Amino acid sequence: MSVIPQKVQDAINEQIKNELYSAYIYLAMSAHFESESLTGFASWMRVQAREEVTHGMKLFDYLTDRGGTVALKAIQAPPSKFDSPLGIFQTALKHEQEVTAMIHGLYALAAQEHDYPTQVALNWFVTEQVEEEKTAAEIVAQLEMVADNRTALLLLDREMAGRGKAAAGAGA
Ligand code: FEO
């Protein structure tokens, strides 16, 4: 079992924290949507939070599999005040763009350290971030179309609930 360069291990530990913080942000957004009776958006955010935990655990398992040391870090509190649904998804999109930059930074470090297995493991995350940004951008675009039409917002909320049901059906 090859040893992961220490700098890369440190950066992976940092990214585990970043993924778990993402889960925290989406959970906070889910709670906010629940308080607004937008249960479809709340459910979508809850599924998203679960996904972020699996992202963190992927890195956790990778570090362990390669004989690295998992060093969990403190996770800051997520925001507690939220804007309109459009503002929330704009924040989510911006957050995903930041995560993409983090993943790319981690990939660049692994390349610099000639850590080929980590680069291969990170390919999954590079692809996933394309999907994450695309999904968030689509919802931003849909909410821009909705504007301040409450009926359209409720219809979109119903549609968003579908993700939670699909994930539950798939056992996610
Ligand atoms: Fe784990 Fe949303 O990126």
Side-chain angles (χ1 to χ4, degrees):
M1 188 163 16
S2 59
V3 176
I4 308 180
Q6 191 57 48
K7 272 190 204 171
V8 177
Q9 287 196 46
D10 292 346
I12 291 174
N13 274 310
E14 188 66 26
Q15 193 57 30
I16 291 171
K17 182 202 73 182
N18 294 335
E19 298 291 345
L20 295 179
Y21 177 60
S22 298
Y24 244 35
I25 293 177
Y26 292 128
L27 263 186
M29 290 173 170
S30 179
H32 170 77
F33 280 125
E34 284 288 354
S35 73
E36 297 281 300
S37 298
L38 289 168
T39 54
F41 284 102
S43 160
W44 191 97
M45 283 294 179
R46 185 184 279 241
V47 173
Q48 184 65 23
R50 277 213 302 263
E51 266 196 31
E52 298 299 350
V53 173
T54 66
H55 296 173
M57 290 312 295
K58 249 183 204 291
L59 292 168
F60 180 107
D61 289 340
Y62 174 72
L63 206 47
T64 306
D65 288 350
R66 283 200 56 211
T69 304
V70 170
L72 296 176
K73 297 174 185 300
I75 302 169
Q76 69 190 92
S80 56
K81 294 259 184 291
F82 293 99
D83 199 354
S84 63
L86 174 59
I88 291 172
F89 273 90
Q90 283 168 334
T91 301
L93 174 58
K94 188 166 168 283
H95 178 72
E96 290 302 333
Q97 288 164 340
E98 286 166 4
V99 173
T100 299
M102 290 169 190
I103 296 292
H104 291 179
L106 187 49
Y107 193 100
L109 177 67
Q112 183 191 310
E113 296 292 314
H114 304 289
D115 182 353
Y116 305 109
T118 296
Q119 288 172 66
V120 172
L122 289 174
N123 280 339
W124 184 90
F125 286 87
V126 172
T127 306
E128 174 69 8
Q129 281 312 119
V130 172
E131 194 58 35
E132 293 274 74
E133 285 191 33
K134 174 176 173 275
T135 305
E138 277 173 3
I139 299 170
V140 165
Q142 286 171 357
L143 284 166
E144 280 169 351
M145 285 182 235
V146 164
D148 46 14
N149 181 333
R150 303 295 292 176
T151 309
L153 183 65
L154 284 173
L155 284 172
L156 186 56
D157 184 63
R158 292 255 173 90
E159 199 183 309
M160 296 289 280
R163 183 193 192 192
K165 291 199 189 91

